[in-house]
Amino acid sequence: MRKYTRRDVCRLLRWDRDEGSTVNGYRVKHGTCPIFVTYHKDEELQYTIQYQDQFVNRHQFSWMTRSQRRLSSAEIQPILNQAASGLEIHLFVKKGDDEGAAHYYLGRMRTLTAVETVIGDKGDPSRQKPIVNVRFAMEEAVREDVFGYLVE
């Protein structure tokens, strides 16, 4: 299992320039979409970025877009319509921020479903933001040892 920084990924996907410092979570570009996830997030993070990204099992991953996104948002249309767009979606995960900048490459994913929901303070509607929760199928199941390490 190899680890890559955002800069590495931009180079490997043959993007025309290094955009590693501006790929905050994900970016759709040149028919590709790398998704970077920190599995165990710092509880002190702002409520609008406490994404509930998680494995459903070794074969499926549940992921949240940036806040302020809806099913109709242009930014996520290629992800939601992956079959038509031909977008290659790649998952990169690190267990926590204490692991540094590099993420494990876990493989390609295929979009299964998407629902619009909210993120934020569930008790205060004025502090909630729209977000889209997407469920993906992993092209290949995540290795059992890696899965156990990340979710524990």
Side-chain angles (χ1 to χ4, degrees):
M1 188 69 39
R2 296 205 49 198
K3 290 177 92 172
Y4 300 91
T5 64
R6 286 172 169 83
R7 172 180 276 191
D8 294 335
V9 172
C10 291
R11 183 178 43 80
L12 290 169
L13 293 177
R14 295 189 173 108
W15 288 6
D16 44 350
R17 59 189 168 99
D18 172 23
E19 296 184 38
S21 62
T22 61
V23 178
N24 297 315
Y26 63 99
R27 165 85 41 94
V28 174
K29 185 172 182 167
H30 300 309
T32 62
C33 179
I35 294 177
F36 295 91
V37 171
T38 301
Y39 202 82
H40 296 282
K41 294 165 183 60
D42 183 344
E43 292 180 15
E44 300 299 316
L45 286 175
Q46 182 181 352
Y47 66 90
T48 57
I49 56 174
Q50 281 286 350
Y51 307 119
Q52 297 165 8
D53 304 320
Q54 61 189 351
F55 286 100
V56 176
N57 53 47
R58 291 179 41 233
H59 305 274
Q60 292 186 10
F61 190 74
S62 177
W63 169 76
M64 294 183 139
T65 63
R66 289 186 261 285
S67 64
Q68 302 289 17
R69 301 304 184 268
R70 298 185 178 279
L71 289 170
S72 60
S73 297
E75 173 184 290
I76 63 166
Q77 286 304 302
I79 296 169
L80 301 182
N81 300 304
Q82 180 188 24
S85 71
L87 186 69
E88 289 185 9
I89 302 172
H90 300 273
L91 180 62
F92 297 85
V93 179
K94 66 180 178 177
K95 185 170 184 168
D97 284 327
D98 58 342
E99 289 193 340
H103 292 69
Y104 292 101
Y105 177 60
L106 299 182
R108 291 182 184 187
M109 301 188 297
R110 180 176 42 87
T111 304
L112 294 175
T113 61
V115 295
E116 194 172 304
T117 186
V118 294
I119 192 167
D121 185 346
K122 300 292 185 201
D124 182 356
S126 69
R127 294 179 56 148
Q128 295 176 355
K129 307 286 183 199
I131 195 165
V132 176
N133 183 215
V134 182
R135 184 171 289 198
F136 294 104
M138 301 298 300
E139 189 172 276
E140 293 185 24
V142 177
R143 276 186 10 205
E144 203 166 321
D145 60 329
V146 175
F147 177 81
Y149 169 74
L150 291 171
V151 301
E152 70 179 16

